[in-house]
Amino acid sequence: MSAVLALSVGGCGGHSRHNRTSTRTYSIYTSLPFEGPYGADAGAVFQGEQLALAQAGGMVNGANVVLRRRDDAASGTGATSGLVAENARIAAGDQSTIAYIGELTPGSSAASIGALSPAGILQVSPGDSATDLAGKTFARVVPRDSDEADAQLAALRKLGVSRVYVLADRTTHGRDIAATVLTDSPSYGITVVDPRGRYLGADTRSLVRAIKKSKAGALLYAGSPAPAVAPIWNALTAANATMKKVASASVTDAPSWAQTSAAARYDTYLSAPGLLPGRGLPRAGTQFQSDFTAAYGPHAAWVSGIFGYVAMSGVLTALRSLGAHAQNPRAMVATAFLRLREVPSPLGTYSIVGGQTSFRAYYFTTYSRAGVAQPDASLS
């Protein structure tokens, strides 16, 4: 980490040493799952937040702004509701808190909204895409699960698929994707061949037989990273090598994804929120990519970090709009953020309406026959 970034970050709680002076200090807490399947994305999102704050000089309207890092993941398991709720309570109890950036795992924000919304603290999620999240001070800079499901259906239509088999897990993300696919598939000219649905975790052999018997042209996995995905991919490819497979890009975060064969990865299409790397980025996006890799190295995951950067930049924009003499910045910054309109960003211009971002773009990654990931411009 560069020195300028290091100076922008506080510890897990308490107050900055800047409080020893007369300069005001505002705290922005961030709660992310730094362990488990979303750990790599969490690290990149945090780096994006750091970069945005560092570029602001760690100050807004003459006040110091400190980023306070909290981990909402138990060892090896990903986000847990107990840790999420604890992080939110700590942030709410800190009188210097003016905003909270979190959560990342789909559905996990439900445990923090309950503490932050009554306290009037702005909560900006850089990654929680659960469709039904709501709170009077909650907003997000990432599209919802329902938007991703529609992007997947549009991709299937472009791929010439008219019959799809939906395999879901029991997570919030899986529930949201499956529900939207069932509701919206007719408008894309696509039939869901087993509307009752099947769940990941069933006997792999019988599940593959059912999928093959359905004569579907594609499997759509509505779910989160899980060890059982790789066996399904491998077995299904062995039984029907021509079947296309669609899922959220996060499935590759599971360690077991490395066990999928090159043949199983071929004809796989993975969706992720954002703009196609190397193409489609606005000028500000290209500059962000350059700045991010300069700060964190050429292999840094800027495609995930961009949402942390946009979240932090939006919070700082809202705070800056209040001026230097705001009497109640905690309450006022939430109102200002929820009223953001036509804000320039590395993702292009966006607005926050009803706590939701106007940004809706997804890009797709596919695989070569050798099993090497590559962006698919035809579906993005």
Side-chain angles (χ1 to χ4, degrees), residues 10-106:
C12 293
H15 295 278
S16 163
R17 65 184 61 182
H18 288 295
N19 285 341
R20 299 173 186 171
T21 73
S22 60
T23 304
R24 292 170 299 162
T25 295
Y26 295 139
S27 295
I28 298 176
Y29 280 76
T30 185
S31 174
L32 299 166
F34 290 99
E35 300 178 70
Y38 289 92
D41 286 340
V45 167
F46 181 60
Q47 289 174 330
E49 295 169 9
Q50 289 178 289
L51 180 60
L53 184 55
Q55 289 179 346
M59 300 189 74
V60 174
N61 298 335
N64 294 308
V65 180
V66 179
L67 176 60
R68 303 194 184 278
R69 178 186 186 272
R70 302 290 303 182
D71 193 342
D72 63 29
S75 180
T77 63
T80 65
S81 59
L83 287 174
V84 168
E86 179 185 355
N87 292 346
R89 287 194 295 269
I90 289 171
D94 185 342
Q95 294 303 306
S96 71
T97 302
I98 52 92
Y100 178 103
I101 300 177
E103 300 331 298
L104 185 64
T105 308

Side-chain angles (χ1 to χ4, degrees), residues 110-351:
S112 47
I113 289 173
L116 298 169
S117 193
I121 296 173
L122 170 65
Q123 178 176 0
V124 182
S125 172
D128 192 342
S129 54
T131 298
D132 59 358
L133 290 174
K136 67 179 183 180
T137 59
F138 175 80
R140 53 181 149 203
V141 295
V142 71
R144 296 170 295 182
D145 289 334
S146 54
D147 298 316
E148 181 166 21
D150 282 323
Q152 292 174 337
L153 287 168
L156 286 169
R157 182 170 59 185
K158 289 180 181 179
L159 291 168
V161 173
S162 59
R163 292 168 59 83
V164 65
Y165 196 101
V166 177
L167 174 65
D169 69 1
R170 299 182 186 275
T171 63
T172 298
H173 181 65
R175 177 202 68 201
D176 288 346
I177 294 286
T180 302
V181 168
L182 285 172
T183 301
D184 293 357
S185 54
S187 64
Y188 291 88
I190 294 173
T191 300
V192 176
V193 296
D194 186 358
R196 295 171 301 173
R198 294 266 186 148
Y199 287 96
L200 189 69
D203 177 69
T204 298
R205 186 174 299 177
S206 64
L207 181 57
V208 168
R209 282 200 302 267
I211 296 172
K212 185 176 180 181
K213 185 178 178 180
S214 73
K215 299 188 184 304
L219 169 72
L220 190 152
Y221 172 56
S224 298
V229 172
I232 290 291
W233 248 242
N234 288 332
L236 184 59
T237 300
N240 183 357
T242 63
M243 175 169 278
K244 295 175 173 59
K245 300 168 285 289
V246 174
S248 298
S250 62
V251 298
T252 65
D253 293 333
S256 60
W257 182 255
Q259 299 168 12
T260 54
S261 67
R265 294 185 184 194
Y266 184 66
D267 264 345
T268 292
Y269 302 87
L270 303 175
S271 55
L275 299 172
L276 190 66
R279 295 181 57 182
L281 282 174
R283 181 176 299 178
T286 302
Q287 184 62 54
F288 165 79
Q289 181 182 4
S290 176
D291 293 343
F292 195 85
T293 55
Y296 303 113
H299 302 295
W302 65 269
V303 291
S304 296
I306 199 168
F307 287 99
Y309 184 91
V310 170
M312 175 60 80
S313 297
V315 172
L316 298 178
T317 295
L319 181 59
R320 194 174 293 115
S321 73
L322 305 181
H325 304 292
Q327 296 302 308
N328 187 5
R330 173 181 282 195
M332 295 173 68
V333 74
T335 300
F337 189 94
L338 293 169
R339 291 177 177 173
L340 288 179
R341 298 293 187 272
E342 300 297 314
V343 180
S345 83
L347 293 171
T349 301
Y350 73 95
S351 298

Side-chain angles (χ1 to χ4, degrees), residues 350-370:
Y350 73 95
S351 298
I352 299 294
V353 181
Q356 310 299 330
T357 179
S358 61
F359 180 77
R360 295 286 188 274
Y362 284 81
Y363 71 92
F364 284 80
T365 301
T366 188
Y367 289 87
S368 68
R369 288 191 181 276

